Amino acid sequence: MENETLTITDNRTQKAYTVPIFRGTIRAMDLRQIKTDPEDFGLMTYDPAFMNTASCQSAITYLDGEKGILRYRGYPIEQLAEHCTFLEVAYLLLNGDLPTKDELDTWNYDVMRHSMIHENLKKFMDGFHHDAHPMGILLSTVAALSTFYPDGRAVNDAKYRRKQVVRLIGKMPTLAAYAYRHRLGRPYIYPDPELCYTKNYMNMLWKRTEPNYVANPVLARALEVLFILHADHEQNCSTSAMRVVGSSNADPYATTAAAISALWGPLHGGANEEVLRMLDEIGSKDRIPAFIEEVKEGHRKLMGFGHRVYKNYDPRARIIKQVAEEVFEVTGRNPKIDIALELEKIALNDEYFVKRRLYPNVDFYSGIIYQAMGFNPDQFTVLFGIPRTVGWLAQWQEMMSDTDKKIARPRQIYIGEEKRDFVPLTLREHKHELVGV
Ligand code: ACO
């Protein structure tokens, strides 16, 4: 389009500057030329939490938060959730296109072949306290993988990158299942490459003394769908952590551990665990109005509601609601679903939530399903991290071959002290309250 430019007048100097507009953005670096005098550093943008800053160009996931649209590589999430396996979607996210039959067979084989972990990692796992949070175990053991695979540091070689991608996707369910069994004091179950990704995971979680554990197909499919829905979500907090840490050319194990850490926070992936705790605390439908009042007075947050990008119903939450009903056919109804449905109904009609455009997000219903399937709340974010590893790695691969890639290094506006001279210890004045910890 012609005239895709922006003209800015600097009222300090009356000078006008014209900068190009590219795909609805201007380059922040184009503002640097705007100076009051040659000594001036030049204009920067201030955007805490990156509310309006595109940090990269990406061809992986399209998200329209106003309309509630989510697509992976152009395919609507609803179609992928209905027709695909998780590993098929993983292939799509990583490679750009859905696999052919042969490609899928090879991909399944490769991933499952890499599902074993080094025996020493089991010893590492044993060092954790019996009630260690599984996310803490997961992020530490993923970071520890870097010590087993030094070739992971060859991040500028696409062949080696691909190898670590397959290893990580293959090993995530194994690490997660071992973390789970460590807590229960049950022996670890080795991965079975003959099974599909989700059934293998279920086998490693729940096999006891029976010779062959057989996963319920409805529950295995539900897990598959949940994994598909969680696989990628463009530049969210954990993916941005992945890109920032990866931009220093750290190896993908250390980088993925950083992304897991970001995911763990209750404002991000940790919200699914918090939703369950919140529903437990509410306890019954008659206590919802009082809870909503507390939220509106600003004392609480309605966990699982609201999203930085979605200002409409999160399409993943819609699919998850359907999956919940299918799961309950097998497991029996989790009574928390009724509290959640009522909470949603009340919130969606309340001026506070309507005005702020707060809708249920992916975490609002997922925990209820997971609990019905037999998972504890502290397991929920792990169930998010396993599939999101695919998205993190797809974004990492994309970044590593991007000609615009540079180490991430934001600027700041310094608001601290001007230069001052050192004061010897004996002459310093007491300025802060003494608080012991
Ligand atoms: N409950 C009550 N009020 C809320 C909620 C909520 N869940 N979410 C946002 N608000 C309110 C804020 O208090 C604020 O109100 P104000 O304008 O009167 O100050 C307004 O809505 C805007 O909220 P922000 O915090 O500015 O929105 P932001 O985009 O920064 O945050 C976030 C998004 C972090 C997801 C937020 O909605 C939240 O904390 N939700 C609960 C946690 C959650 O479910 N996280 C999972 C998100 S999905 C994911 O990460 C996979």
Side-chain angles (χ1 to χ4, degrees):
M1 205 193 294
E2 270 181 46
N3 287 332
E4 284 278 281
T5 59
L6 175 74
T7 299
I8 303 159
T9 304
D10 185 345
N11 292 324
R12 300 170 301 176
T13 59
Q14 305 309 319
K15 274 175 80 176
Y17 302 82
T18 297
V19 297
I21 296 176
F22 172 67
R23 297 185 196 268
T25 62
I26 59 163
R27 278 191 177 258
M29 278 304 285
D30 284 343
L31 301 179
R32 189 70 74 75
Q33 60 182 311
I34 304 179
K35 300 179 178 203
T36 49
D37 60 66
E39 296 295 301
D40 183 2
F41 181 76
L43 213 60
M44 295 191 297
T45 55
Y46 176 55
D47 188 10
F50 309 112
M51 301 276 286
N52 196 37
T53 295
S55 60
C56 63
Q57 295 187 56
S58 179
I60 300 171
T61 289
Y62 174 78
L63 208 172
D64 183 332
E66 293 295 317
K67 298 195 182 118
I69 294 173
L70 173 61
R71 296 182 199 134
Y72 294 162
R73 301 282 188 183
Y75 294 102
I77 191 69
E78 293 80 4
Q79 293 182 22
L80 296 172
E82 188 178 345
H83 299 293
C84 291
T85 63
F86 170 66
L87 282 187
E88 205 175 348
V89 170
Y91 185 98
L92 169 72
L93 286 166
L94 288 157
N95 300 293
D97 287 300
L98 285 166
T100 61
K101 171 85 177 66
D102 288 349
E103 285 166 342
L104 184 58
D105 288 347
T106 309
W107 171 239
N108 284 338
Y109 173 79
D110 283 347
V111 170
M112 295 312 293
R113 197 167 63 87
H114 282 284
S115 53
M116 278 203 145
I117 57 174
H118 195 287
E119 286 292 292
N120 283 354
L121 255 172
K122 285 195 335 199
K123 295 185 204 146
F124 191 84
M125 191 82 64
D126 286 342
F128 288 101
H129 204 254
H130 69 92
D131 61 356
H133 196 289
M135 280 298 275
I137 301 184
L138 190 69
L139 76 88
S140 322
T141 48
V142 167
L145 286 177
S146 67
T147 63
F148 292 89
Y149 303 109
D151 59 348
R153 291 204 288 277
V155 293
N156 289 318
D157 186 325
K159 192 177 91 203
Y160 282 99
R161 283 204 297 269
R162 193 175 155 73
K163 190 159 190 187
Q164 317 316 322
V165 165
V166 178
R167 278 180 175 150
L168 263 161
I169 296 172
K171 293 179 199 322
M172 282 301 279
T174 315
L175 292 173
Y178 280 24
Y180 173 76
R181 292 185 76 103
H182 168 69
R183 176 166 232 196
L184 299 177
R186 289 194 190 142
Y188 305 126
I189 304 293
Y190 286 117
D192 181 349
E194 295 298 309
L195 297 173
C196 75
Y197 198 74
T198 46
K199 285 187 179 159
N200 169 53
Y201 178 44
M202 292 165 86
N203 183 54
M204 291 188 291
L205 287 170
W206 291 317
K207 181 174 161 40
R208 299 182 93 151
T209 49
E210 67 278 45
N212 286 313
Y213 170 87
V214 182
N216 180 295
V218 176
L219 301 188
R221 180 62 203 161
L223 199 56
E224 194 101 18
V225 172
L226 284 157
F227 277 10
I228 291 170
L229 299 181
H230 285 90
D232 192 50
H233 211 232
E234 52 116 308
Q235 309 314 316
N236 54 80
C237 179
S238 53
T239 304
S240 298
M242 184 85 189
R243 281 186 179 258
V244 168
V245 176
S247 78
S248 75
N249 288 358
D251 79 58
Y253 303 103
T255 306
T256 302
I260 295 173
S261 308
L263 185 73
W264 193 3
L267 296 186
H268 188 18
N272 52 16
E273 184 177 340
E274 297 302 321
V275 170
L276 246 282
R277 298 199 193 290
M278 177 187 78
L279 294 176
D280 269 340
E281 191 192 322
I282 296 174
S284 58
K285 283 196 210 171
D286 57 308
R287 294 174 62 181
I288 294 176
F291 181 82
I292 293 273
E293 276 317 302
E294 272 192 67
V295 171
K296 285 160 63 176
E297 284 163 13
H299 304 309
R300 309 288 302 260
K301 271 194 167 177
L302 180 49
M303 299 309 285
F305 256 67
H307 198 277
R308 170 62 58 77
V309 181
Y310 287 123
K311 301 300 170 198
N312 200 324
Y313 212 99
D314 182 335
R316 300 168 300 174
R318 191 170 284 124
I319 300 170
I320 289 179
K321 243 164 113 174
Q322 286 166 13
V323 173
E325 296 302 334
E326 289 159 26
V327 167
F328 296 157
E329 291 281 316
V330 177
T331 61
R333 200 169 175 80
N334 183 340
K336 293 200 183 80
I337 187 82
D338 297 319
I339 302 178
L341 287 168
E342 185 67 14
L343 202 50
E344 177 188 320
K345 202 166 91 194
I346 293 177
L348 292 186
N349 286 301
D350 190 293
E351 149 98 35
Y352 175 94
F353 297 90
V354 174
K355 204 172 100 197
R356 290 169 178 78
R357 304 181 70 189
L358 301 171
Y359 290 86
N361 59 50
V362 68
D363 290 322
F364 193 63
Y365 289 106
S366 59
I368 300 173
I369 307 181
Y370 290 140
Q371 190 176 51
M373 288 172 80
F375 292 101
N376 293 330
D378 62 7
Q379 218 62 59
F380 298 169
T381 314
V382 170
L383 289 154
F384 194 151
I386 296 172
R388 183 55 61 84
T389 300
V390 167
W392 292 328
L393 291 167
Q395 302 271 348
W396 174 72
Q397 277 196 160
E398 183 178 62
M399 177 187 71
M400 293 306 293
S401 51
D402 186 341
T403 50
D404 272 351
K405 173 190 173 281
K406 273 185 173 291
I407 185 167
R409 204 310 184 182
R411 292 279 174 177
Q412 64 167 10
I413 303 172
Y414 178 69
I415 56 166
E417 303 279 355
E418 291 296 323
K419 178 177 178 287
R420 49 182 176 168
D421 287 325
F422 175 78
V423 181
L425 187 60
T426 49
L427 299 179
R428 286 176 214 160
E429 281 173 25
H430 178 70
K431 287 185 188 160
H432 303 281
E433 207 182 320
L434 287 175
V435 186
V437 284

